[in-house]
Amino acid sequence: MWEDTSMQRRDMLVGTAGAGLAALAGKALAADSEASVATAGGSVRGRAVDGVLVFKGIPFAVAPVGERLFLPPVPARWDGVRDALEFGPKPPQAEYPPMVQPLIPPELTAAGEDCLTLNIWAPVGGTDLPVMVWIPGGMFEYHATGASPWYDGTGFARDGVILVSINYRVGAAGFLYLDDGIANVGLLDQIAALEWVRTNIAGFGGDPGNVTIFGESAGGLSVGTLLAVPQAKGLFRRAIVESGGGQHVLTPSTAKRIGVRLAALLGVEPTRAAIGAVPVEKLIEAQNALRGELTAAPDPQVWGEVLQTGLPWSPVIDGSVVPGVPLNLVRAGASADVDLLSGFNAEEWRLFLVPGGAIDQIPPPALAGTVAGFGMPVEPTLAAYAQLHPGASTGDLLAAVMTDWYWRLPALRLAEAHAAAAGTGTTHMYEFAWRSPQFDGRLGASHAIEIPFVFDTLGAHAEPLLGAAPPQGLADAVHAAWVAFATTGDPGWAAFDGKRRATMRFDTTPALIDDPLAKERALWEGVR
């Protein structure tokens, strides 16, 4: 199948995934004309642009204002026809770390109260089309908005897939834990958006029984978690985990210590009502102070597993929304009926070390301490990594170790767990290996680099990360694979199993590789 040219493959996918596109000839609307669709909460008015219906800023939940900022979502309703012509505001949040801000997805909206919204791109005249729901990343502390040119869904709609992008609460608003019976509000936002899709997407031409959730980084971790969330069961048929996994969750003891510390920084009692009474600006200041404590001189007795993940706000094993470690629940069959595509980028951690020059300032003791902190024998591990990466500097080796621990091994373990569970769901795996020319070629196949290829949104807005001339043929191939998977559960290459471990390596010329992490997998066995 991968011998076809990219355009031939795209034509094939449009024929299978987008049968509804055939209806466009008789039903196409004039460019930039408006169209209305009735939903369970009220009617919305969108715009038709070149055969694609676009609806922006549709509320799936009421605005989380005041104490409601820390409470589970409630469905939104309105009278009359609501304009859905502009993106809704992003959730309240701190600013991205300046080191990576120029390289991450640019945002088209500011923070605001009415932030629980979603956006839809759908072919005009389509019926029963596959649906993809994008969950954006941002460390569960930043971003979490679908309003980015990287996430424009026109390419998916062009190829017969309805694209939905969502917002969800992050930081304390999304993941404050106080052992008070409420937890994982940010995940509940994602579930509420999926419930909205199930109820309403048919009115936009979508098939509510053929929904694929996908996300990258914290979005990928969200998808890996939702695979094991009982409330999410039945809301999606397929899942794509980009640079995620099923291991990065907080224990309730750690999460509660963080919540109590936040209250102390705010000078209020550690209750949801007291924290909810604090102005949002002061809440963000306290979160920034908390991040500063984690960065400066963290106390292991306070921070626990956050010392390794760097995610003080993330899904918590609360026993209800998240019953246990998602990876273990997937292995036990929690998502056995879901088709899974799991993958990673070859050099993820270089995004966090190369732009600011930190990669050239890593002392050997820091590398050794990192390896020891992961529970690995230092000398044998460093010797193995030096052999895997000939001529690598200390910073290069740290980037490789962190890439494996944080992203590559969790993606592999998730695929292994899913493939081992007896069920009807398929399992596939990929590696994105194309190396960016930025920073004199040192950025490499870093974290987030695959996103504009997935959405087929290469352009000036992605140039800081990808350079001036990323290969469009690779975008054609990656985007087509995501469309095919969302349509049929088969992205176009052999399924993953515990023996062959077939993995599609996306580079200038895609190639199917068997067990590309064989040495790293053996090295981390029993540890990661």
Side-chain angles (χ1 to χ4, degrees):
M1 178 173 282
W2 284 92
E3 294 177 356
D4 294 340
T5 67
S6 58
M7 290 307 296
Q8 287 173 331
R9 181 161 174 76
R10 173 178 292 177
D11 292 342
M12 179 273 291
L13 288 170
V14 170
T16 57
L21 294 175
L24 287 178
K27 298 183 179 180
L29 301 177
D32 294 323
S33 63
E34 293 183 347
S36 296
V37 174
T39 77
S43 294
V44 291
R45 180 184 294 112
R47 181 173 286 121
V49 181
D50 296 331
V52 176
L53 286 170
V54 183
F55 294 81
K56 299 176 180 177
I58 301 176
F60 63 83
V62 300
V65 180
E67 183 180 354
R68 178 145 295 286
L69 184 61
F70 298 92
L71 297 178
V74 173
R77 299 185 184 281
W78 57 90
D79 295 326
V81 180
R82 180 184 176 116
D83 280 340
L85 305 173
E86 304 291 339
F87 289 113
K90 67 180 181 179
Q93 58 190 260
E95 292 296 321
Y96 247 121
M99 174 182 64
V100 299
Q101 190 162 7
L103 306 178
I104 60 174
E107 297 172 346
L108 301 174
T109 185
E113 292 181 340
D114 198 4
C115 59
L116 297 183
T117 63
L118 53 79
N119 317 293
I120 299 173
W121 287 260
V124 174
T127 57
D128 295 325
L129 298 177
V131 181
M132 299 185 73
V133 179
W134 173 251
I135 303 176
M139 298 175 63
F140 294 113
E141 194 167 355
Y142 316 100
H143 199 52
T145 173
S148 172
W150 286 23
Y151 308 154
D152 187 286
T154 300
F156 282 109
R158 172 201 66 210
D159 293 338
V161 174
I162 293 180
L163 189 284
V164 181
S165 64
I166 69 170
N167 293 3
Y168 61 97
R169 282 171 283 182
V170 291
F175 296 96
L176 175 69
Y177 182 79
L178 297 169
D179 195 18
D180 60 355
I182 298 175
N184 295 303
V185 170
L187 283 181
L188 294 178
D189 289 344
Q190 297 171 11
I191 292 169
L194 290 172
E195 290 173 338
W196 189 98
V197 168
R198 179 181 59 186
T199 301
N200 297 291
I201 203 64
F204 299 83
D207 178 1
N210 190 7
V211 173
T212 297
I213 59 173
F214 70 130
E216 182 269 347
S217 195
L221 294 173
S222 295
V223 174
T225 302
L226 289 172
L227 288 170
V229 171
Q231 286 179 248
K233 193 169 184 62
L235 294 177
F236 55 92
R237 182 176 179 181
R238 303 188 172 98
I240 303 175
V241 178
E242 301 175 28
S243 302
Q247 293 161 280
H248 293 317
V249 287
L250 293 180
T251 60
S253 56
T254 296
K256 185 174 181 180
R257 288 196 300 270
I258 293 171
V260 170
R261 180 58 185 155
L262 177 72
L265 289 171
L266 291 169
V268 301
E269 291 296 314
T271 66
R272 207 163 287 267
I275 296 174
V278 174
V280 171
E281 296 78 12
K282 291 193 174 297
L283 173 69
I284 300 304
E285 289 177 5
Q287 286 184 195
N288 287 337
L290 202 66
R291 170 64 65 179
E293 292 181 359
L294 174 60
T295 303
D299 181 354
Q301 297 301 315
V302 173
W303 293 99
E305 61 272 21
V306 176
L307 289 180
Q308 294 182 334
T309 67
L311 301 176
W313 310 108
S314 58
V316 182
I317 302 173
D318 65 320
S320 177
V321 179
V322 182
V325 177
L327 179 66
N328 297 340
L329 297 174
V330 168
R331 186 179 293 114
S335 59
D337 57 344
V338 173
D339 298 329
L340 173 67
L341 173 58
S342 178
F344 53 83
N345 297 350
E347 300 168 297
E348 303 260 10
W349 206 258
R350 297 185 76 85
L351 177 66
F352 309 106
L353 294 180
V354 170
I359 197 165
D360 296 321
Q361 303 171 25
I362 306 297
L367 173 60
T370 298
V371 171
F374 290 148
M376 298 284 280
V378 175
E379 292 187 7
T381 301
L382 292 181
Y385 269 90
Q387 188 174 17
L388 286 168
H389 304 274
S393 68
T394 301
D396 292 330
L397 292 178
L398 178 64
V401 170
M402 289 300 300
T403 292
D404 286 347
W405 184 87
Y406 213 109
W407 305 117
R408 299 214 295 175
L409 268 298
L412 173 65
R413 299 310 184 200
L414 183 62
E416 290 175 339
H418 188 265
T424 59
T426 62
T427 308
H428 290 83
M429 192 154 194
Y430 76 90
E431 174 186 26
F432 192 88
W434 180 79
R435 306 189 80 249
S436 168
Q438 297 298 75
F439 298 92
D440 296 324
R442 302 185 73 194
L443 188 61
S446 75
H447 193 60
I449 201 171
E450 88 289 354
I451 300 173
F453 291 87
V454 166
F455 279 80
D456 194 10
T457 51
L458 304 183
H461 50 75
E463 189 170 323
L465 186 66
L466 305 182
Q472 180 61 48
L474 180 58
D476 292 341
V478 174
H479 176 76
W482 265 236
V483 169
F485 180 80
T487 305
T488 67
D490 181 358
W493 61 85
F496 179 96
D497 60 39
K499 294 182 179 180
R500 182 181 174 187
R501 293 182 169 85
T503 302
M504 177 56 67
R505 175 170 288 162
F506 285 109
D507 206 332
T508 305
T509 301
L512 190 64
I513 309 295
D514 288 346
D515 202 5
L517 297 185
K519 294 180 179 178
E520 292 89 345
R521 175 172 56 83
L523 189 63
W524 289 88
E525 192 65 43
V527 178
R528 194 62 170 159

